[in-house]
Amino acid sequence: MHAPVFSPRAPVVPPRTVADVDRRDDRVPDPRATSPLTGSPPPGIRPVRTTVDPRLPDPAVVAALPPGHALLVVQRGPRAGEELTLDTDPALVGRHVDADICLDHVTVSRRHSEFLPYEGGHMVRDVGSLNGTYVNGVRVDATILRAGDEVQIGKYRLTYHCA
């Protein structure tokens, strides 16, 4: 019988035993876990802090908007977190520097879509873009916007918040 050949470069790892695998003292408790009786976290565990989503606008800012105005918050895209104001005039959105809202990305057409005032709010209309305009994941030619709607223009995702 031959003796096992070990390479001098390969480290020798001792075999693991059942005791190594079943160690319960090194488990970290889940900080979201709560006691079924008290509803509070177990002793020694700090509760997870809930924070306001930084991408949502301050409700006071939305409430302070004049009638007929709205706020677009960039959720995704190179300008994420930026807030854009819509007033009562039609606002052209596109890649062109003369657009009212310039979204500079290859997925945005030069003249992509426009936001139009409509009965105290706004509607969005695609103006012949190549990639289309989407509201809540559905491609649209034109639609009336409601508070919280997500408008996708190219790579950008914007949420609509009206006064």
Side-chain angles (χ1 to χ4, degrees):
M1 180 175 236
H2 299 303
V5 178
F6 294 103
S7 169
R9 294 183 189 159
V12 178
V13 179
R16 295 183 70 174
T17 64
V18 173
D20 291 336
V21 175
D22 196 29
R23 277 193 169 147
R24 298 201 185 273
D25 58 342
D26 61 350
R27 290 176 47 194
V28 177
D30 184 2
R32 295 168 295 186
T34 58
S35 167
L37 300 176
T38 64
S40 61
I45 302 296
R46 288 180 294 164
V48 176
R49 289 210 282 163
T50 57
T51 58
V52 176
D53 189 347
R55 298 174 296 179
L56 295 178
D58 184 2
V61 172
V62 175
L65 288 170
H69 287 64
L71 197 64
L72 290 174
V73 180
V74 181
Q75 300 293 329
R76 288 191 187 167
R79 294 166 58 180
E82 189 172 338
E83 296 178 353
L84 310 167
T85 305
L86 291 175
D87 54 18
T88 56
D89 296 27
L92 177 66
V93 181
R95 195 177 68 230
H96 197 274
V97 293
D98 291 338
D100 298 311
I101 299 174
C102 182
L103 301 177
D104 190 22
H105 194 267
V106 71
T107 59
V108 178
S109 297
R110 285 184 196 96
R111 291 178 39 86
H112 198 101
S113 60
E114 61 183 352
F115 290 90
L116 304 162
Y118 183 81
E119 295 183 2
H122 288 85
M123 67 181 296
V124 64
R125 181 171 63 106
D126 190 271
V127 290
S129 66
L130 182 63
N131 292 327
T133 301
Y134 294 79
V135 175
N136 298 326
V138 178
R139 189 172 182 154
V140 296
D141 289 328
T143 190
I144 299 167
L145 295 173
R146 293 176 292 158
D149 280 350
E150 182 183 71
V151 180
Q152 183 176 346
I153 298 172
K155 186 177 182 175
Y156 291 85
R157 291 192 181 193
L158 317 157
T159 53
Y160 174 79
H161 304 276
C162 58

